[in-house]
Amino acid sequence: MSTPTPVMPDHPRLRPLGIHEVTLDPGFWGDRQQLNAEEIIPHVEHWLERLGWAGNFDLAVTGGLPEGRSGREFADSEVYKLLEGMAWELGRRPNPEMEERFARLSRRVASAQEADGYLSTAFGRPGQRPRYSDLEWGHELYCYGHLIQAGVARLRTYGEDLLVRTAVAAADHVCREFGDEGDTRVCGHPEIETALAELARATGRPKYLQQAKKFVERRGHGNLGKIFLGQEYFQDDTPVRAAEILRGHAVRALYLSAGAVDVAMDTDDDGLLTAAAQQVRRTLARRTYITGGMGAQHEGESFGADFALPPDRSYSETCAGIASVQLNHRLLLATGDPLHADAVERTLFNVVAAAVAEDGHSFFYTNTLHQREAGRRPPAGEASPRAASGMRAPWFDVSCCPTNLTRTLASLAAYVATADDQGLQIHQYAQGTITTELHGEPLRLLVETDYPHHGNIQVRVEQAPQAWTLSMRIPSWADGARAWITGEAPQMVEPGMFELPRPLRAGETVTLDLPVAPRWSWADPRVDAVRGHVAVECGPLVMALESPDVAAAAPDAVEAADADVATVRADPRHPLTLTEGQVMLPVRRHRNSESQWPFPARRPQEPDDETPLAHVPMIPYHRRANRGPSTMRVWIPEVPAAIQ
Amino acid sequence: MSTPTPVMPDHPRLRPLGIHEVTLDPGFWGDRQQLNAEEIIPHVEHWLERLGWAGNFDLAVTGGLPEGRSGREFADSEVYKLLEGMAWELGRRPNPEMEERFARLSRRVASAQEADGYLSTAFGRPGQRPRYSDLEWGHELYCYGHLIQAGVARLRTYGEDLLVRTAVAAADHVCREFGDEGDTRVCGHPEIETALAELARATGRPKYLQQAKKFVERRGHGNLGKIFLGQEYFQDDTPVRAAEILRGHAVRALYLSAGAVDVAMDTDDDGLLTAAAQQVRRTLARRTYITGGMGAQHEGESFGADFALPPDRSYSETCAGIASVQLNHRLLLATGDPLHADAVERTLFNVVAAAVAEDGHSFFYTNTLHQREAGRRPPAGEASPRAASGMRAPWFDVSCCPTNLTRTLASLAAYVATADDQGLQIHQYAQGTITTELHGEPLRLLVETDYPHHGNIQVRVEQAPQAWTLSMRIPSWADGARAWITGEAPQMVEPGMFELPRPLRAGETVTLDLPVAPRWSWADPRVDAVRGHVAVECGPLVMALESPDVAAAAPDAVEAADADVATVRADPRHPLTLTEGQVMLPVRRHRNSESQWPFPARRPQEPDDETPLAHVPMIPYHRRANRGPSTMRVWIPEVPAAIQ
């Protein structure tokens, strides 16, 4: 059966359920889908008009290029990502007024396409650089990739229209220009690979898959020109098939890997799949923050060495989080390994949810784990540098993240559940409904939960086939989870996929109880940067300590400067507690002393057991920076006595 | 009296002794001066010719620009820095053959100067961008700065010649173009400020000082265009007078501050001097590595937040180290505060000495404190990216550091001693001779030491005035230092300036005994990145643990992978020892265990007191990366039991 969803391999191990099969009701994610439709998408439309990035397409028609062009080389892609976001949103919930806005924007884009399918507002006109003259940095194929993904979204949610035809014409152009007889280079920024693979799936035309395969295979052989940041930056150092781990620019690495998984799945290339899966497993084990964030380094927006995960200025680009979700989703479909659904969950709650403000009007481009100096309020009326501030900004000079959020939030339902010959698997827990068919028989489930605030998840069967198996993901952190069918005895369930022992019938309910009580977490000793520190998690949520809470917890005992998060030490020999729903961190105060040289020959004084114990509230990391400029940290230094 | 030295304020608190007054004999620094003359300078000449950066000047004459131009916008400055290095070297020790090379290169530079004094191979010709059309990134004034400093070096060591006239013509051009009636902007890269101040001193023409003052005062008011990295990058965010700490691009910040100190000294501007000194003290207390390295961040080659000093990939650019030496030297002359001589010493031994290979043919551009992955051998025949490798490279695409080393090593003697009305102060200890006059009376001292290998320093008086005071710097780390005049009782001396209680007479010797035995050092608790780690220092030398020593210390007990520096924990409850002159670190072995997710809910196992104690040799940090690809670390994780 056909179901609109962003990733639809020809014969995956697990079939993804689409956005008509899964609906999200009000709750953590349902609310964010609503916010996306009502606030984020209009906000993005506003800025794309205001800065002229949408207007570039009009100028292409009126002859106003290159003089009047705005934005960077890849500005076109932001318009395409918005169109993709609108297409998923319109597929999720019809909206005639947004439909009209979508059609208008599609027409502007389509008008700028040239007769041979080429489409770029940045290259190819008199006064601009020639087509494909700068594949390293020009982003032409990257932009097509986003155009094609928008076209795929529209084709699946609506059917053929002008945007779909525009995307197909661009894809045909790419196949002609970059075939074996043509230009055999690749784009400096991967993205076209997944897009072409998906277009092959959506149209049934294998030539796009073959072109995607060419782009995956060509890379890694020094195909691109030398750049300052090294060939590793755009993964042109080692072929995908031969690499051991993700490296270089994080978004590039993750998009490329997603494309490789797509190609591997649809060409039955087990070698390529195994290589990609192994690289991702290794990246999760060695180059991923506790938030799921990837890409530690500001320089080159890139992965660092294994275990080099400093919380200070951790880059963790929002788009890298989104790319990791896309990649891990593909690997889940390809392998069924719940490790990848764990990664999706962690990243959605702690990167994607953290990146957008509660009002949907400002965003993080980078997601640090340690804000040492209180952030500055970015200017409301202008685009901010991508990494300058400790607070969310309305727009960026490079503004890939807000538009990427629109398509991710609109298609969130796609990550919830999958099906296979045995039955149905639930991977992500959110209030909503799952309606599909198994072997032609209807299945309808209601999921009731306010996860992740509580760990109680009830799945009520409204309709079900005779023989089927329900499986539910038990997250890797869920030690002590229990499940039971109403009326039967609870049983302990282990992390991994929990298969119900018998088919559930209509009217039956299964309850899963996940332990979301606050827990301590430590780091592998090779993450030297957080040695002697401890973190706190509640279910899938990483917690953060923020200066307003440090101040509020001891309003008169300390000076103003002592409200800084640098002035507390966690004492994990005492329990984390809950007070009125707030996680309370047991701490002892530390007063920093000043000196002319910060590397003394004596061990600095730290709080000991004579220092009174206090309790400071923590907030979920995704809610940080909502109370004005503040300092913040995820990893809290421990009192020395606790360490041994 | 006139004495050739790089910094000669009009009326400093301490008068710097020049390179004719202090000579360095074979020893730690004397050997490096020799290496500079015989190996480094010729190596630099070779690469400047090979890559065409010197040839750019010829092309300017023959009309071969812009087509044939090589190198970045600032390539001219490398030639100037080499000329400065040669000028100091020729001043230090005549060498007719090098004199000839110097004259030849000077002629090529001078030929490219235009009639009005303008000199740049990168701007102003047909096909090039117009003069001063990109002050943010063009580096035209920066290049003049280095030309003028080369001219000053030549004027002081030789007298007027073609290079001096070229430099003066450039300076006159700058004064005409950038006066109050002309272009009132500044250069994106400070450097012209110190150069003009020094030229004013060397020529006696105050107009250059006035121009330097203008450049210092103009900056910080948004004088330059907006850039991605923010105005902080080139210190255009806050006026020098109002800033609290050094920030942004480290070399830019340090050169600017040096210029501000120069201007403050020669215009008796106490407010400016106080502001600059306070910023540097704060920077030393909060934004400086234990090596003296400054500028933690790769992105923007910049200072980070206070105490954000991750050893991983610490940038610590070699040029920032050199700039810090120049700046602290100026502040020493201006204030007499030995804190600044301490900083000079630390930085010379652990940044400057570390940056150059033992054969003088390869260099570090960045100086990390933690090499996690064994470095790669850079290609011998081509320029390397500046920060790509864990090993020294023969040359870089941006190659400011090797040329900067030539001038620093050639003029090293300038940092050794100063004089004032009371007498003579020795700040740096090296085998050599000090010959000067105090109140017109000759003074001659022999310094005998193999410091820093041993802490024994003997100063023998060969000639001395009737009344004078010898002062010697006791480094801040030198707890337990002793001093005595031969035949008298030793006395304990405290860190700071130690004044001998009576004038020494010809024939007398004073001995200073500095405790250079290995010692443990810890970090301020706010340097979270090295929490739970300890470092080792010997006198002024920071020590490093390198994988070949880890391997050698346990050749059969461990697998090859375990030779990595990640597999040991220091146990500072046990003493550091010396075995055949090598510092032995007491350690316990740690075997890292692999997992799918590196953030467990249990504290990871670490070595306890059941784990056998072993001893692993350490090397001085400046000798790292001399034995092929290796891993290395300065901060060693401690065994948990030691921490409390």
Side-chain angles (χ1 to χ4, degrees), chain B residues 291-591:
Chain B
T291 52
M294 290 188 181
Q297 300 180 170
H298 279 240
E299 178 86 2
E301 308 185 306
S302 56
F303 286 104
D306 287 354
F307 303 108
L309 296 167
D312 278 310
R313 274 166 64 84
S314 65
Y315 201 72
S316 289
E317 184 181 336
T318 299
C319 286
I322 290 171
S324 171
V325 167
Q326 296 178 347
L327 170 57
N328 278 289
H329 178 56
R330 282 166 171 79
L331 282 168
L332 175 69
L333 301 182
T335 69
D337 187 341
L339 171 75
H340 300 296
D342 281 353
V344 167
E345 173 175 70
R346 184 174 288 277
T347 311
L348 285 176
F349 278 113
N350 301 296
V351 179
V352 174
V356 57
E358 287 168 339
D359 67 0
H361 291 181
S362 61
F363 309 89
F364 277 127
Y365 188 109
T366 69
N367 297 278
T368 187
L369 270 66
H370 189 180
Q371 184 73 33
R372 282 184 175 265
E373 295 173 355
R376 285 166 292 193
R377 285 184 198 279
E382 58 185 87
S384 292
R386 55 188 111 159
S389 167
M391 299 187 71
R392 295 179 186 85
W395 200 252
F396 303 97
D397 294 328
V398 172
S399 217
C400 41
C401 301
T403 56
N404 223 346
L405 283 166
T406 65
R407 62 180 189 141
T408 305
L409 292 172
S411 60
L412 261 181
Y415 302 108
V416 168
T418 58
D420 65 5
D421 287 347
Q422 276 66 55
L424 186 110
Q425 303 81 35
I426 306 182
H427 303 283
Q428 306 299 337
Y429 300 109
Q431 179 81 24
T433 312
I434 299 171
T435 316
T436 186
E437 288 182 5
L438 295 178
H439 304 297
E441 293 182 81
L443 172 71
R444 183 174 167 82
L445 307 176
L446 299 189
V447 181
E448 298 194 340
T449 185
D450 68 347
Y451 185 81
H453 304 304
H454 295 92
N456 191 281
I457 298 148
Q458 297 196 327
V459 179
R460 187 146 60 85
V461 181
E462 297 213 323
Q463 268 190 298
Q466 278 295 320
W468 73 296
T469 303
L470 176 62
S471 303
M472 302 173 80
R473 180 181 62 97
I474 313 301
S476 63
W477 48 261
D479 251 0
R482 295 177 316 150
W484 62 92
I485 299 167
T486 302
E488 301 185 5
Q491 61 167 298
M492 299 295 291
V493 288
E494 295 291 315
M497 287 311 284
F498 163 61
E499 271 188 25
L500 267 83
R502 64 165 177 84
L504 292 185
R505 303 208 178 74
E508 285 195 311
T509 294
V510 60
T511 300
L512 177 62
D513 192 52
L514 296 178
V516 298
R519 66 186 189 275
W520 302 103
S521 298
W522 283 269
D524 184 293
R526 285 166 291 186
V527 188
D528 305 87
V530 295
R531 188 176 179 76
H533 296 69
V534 64
V536 176
E537 296 180 89
C538 295
L541 299 178
V542 173
M543 303 299 286
L545 183 66
E546 212 176 36
S547 51
D549 294 315
V550 178
D556 43 50
V558 293
E559 295 160 29
D562 280 353
D564 190 270
V565 293
T567 62
V568 296
R569 301 288 178 265
D571 191 341
R573 295 170 301 173
H574 295 266
L576 292 157
T577 55
L578 283 168
T579 302
E580 293 170 8
Q582 266 203 309
V583 175
M584 302 299 286
L585 178 74
V587 298
R588 300 181 195 269
R589 290 260 173 194
H590 170 74
R591 185 176 290 268

Side-chain angles (χ1 to χ4, degrees), chain B residues 147-176:
Chain B
L147 172 62
I148 292 166
Q149 287 188 332
V152 167
R154 186 63 173 170
L155 183 57
R156 288 194 178 138
T157 53
Y158 175 91
E160 193 179 305
D161 75 348
L162 180 62
L163 184 72
V164 174
R165 286 190 296 274
T166 307
V168 167
D172 289 340
H173 164 84
V174 169
C175 292
R176 280 196 307 275

Side-chain angles (χ1 to χ4, degrees), chain A residues 226 228 281 284-290 297-299 305-309 313 339 346 370 372-373 382 385-386 479 520-526 528-529 531-533 569 572 590 592-604 606 633 635 637-638 640-644, chain B residues 226 228 281 284-290 297-299 305-309 313 339 346 370 372-373 382 385-386 479 520-526 528-529 531-533 569 572 590 592-604 606 633 635 637-638 640-644:
Chain A
K226 286 210 169 181
F228 161 63
R281 278 198 300 273
L284 287 169
R286 293 169 170 251
R287 297 189 175 182
T288 303
Y289 282 103
I290 192 171
Q297 300 179 173
H298 279 239
E299 178 87 2
D306 288 353
F307 304 107
L309 295 167
R313 274 168 62 86
L339 171 75
R346 184 174 288 277
H370 190 178
R372 281 183 177 267
E373 294 173 355
E382 59 184 86
R386 58 188 108 160
D479 252 359
W520 301 104
S521 297
W522 283 269
D524 184 293
R526 285 166 290 185
D528 305 87
R531 186 177 180 77
H533 296 69
R569 301 289 179 262
H590 171 73
N592 290 295
S593 57
E594 301 308 320
S595 66
Q596 283 196 326
W597 180 243
F599 303 108
R602 282 175 201 83
R603 187 186 297 281
E606 287 265 298
R633 62 191 311 165
W635 289 99
E638 297 180 75
I643 287 173
Q644 202 184 345
Chain B
K226 285 211 170 183
F228 161 64
R281 277 199 299 274
L284 287 169
R286 294 172 170 248
R287 298 189 174 182
T288 303
Y289 282 104
I290 192 171
Q297 300 180 170
H298 279 240
E299 178 86 2
D306 287 354
F307 303 108
L309 296 167
R313 274 166 64 84
L339 171 75
R346 184 174 288 277
H370 189 180
R372 282 184 175 265
E373 295 173 355
E382 58 185 87
R386 55 188 111 159
D479 251 0
W520 302 103
S521 298
W522 283 269
D524 184 293
R526 285 166 291 186
D528 305 87
R531 188 176 179 76
H533 296 69
R569 301 288 178 265
H590 170 74
N592 290 295
S593 58
E594 300 307 320
S595 66
Q596 283 196 327
W597 180 243
F599 303 108
R602 281 174 202 83
R603 188 186 296 281
E606 287 265 299
R633 62 191 310 164
W635 290 99
E638 297 180 76
I643 287 175
Q644 203 185 345

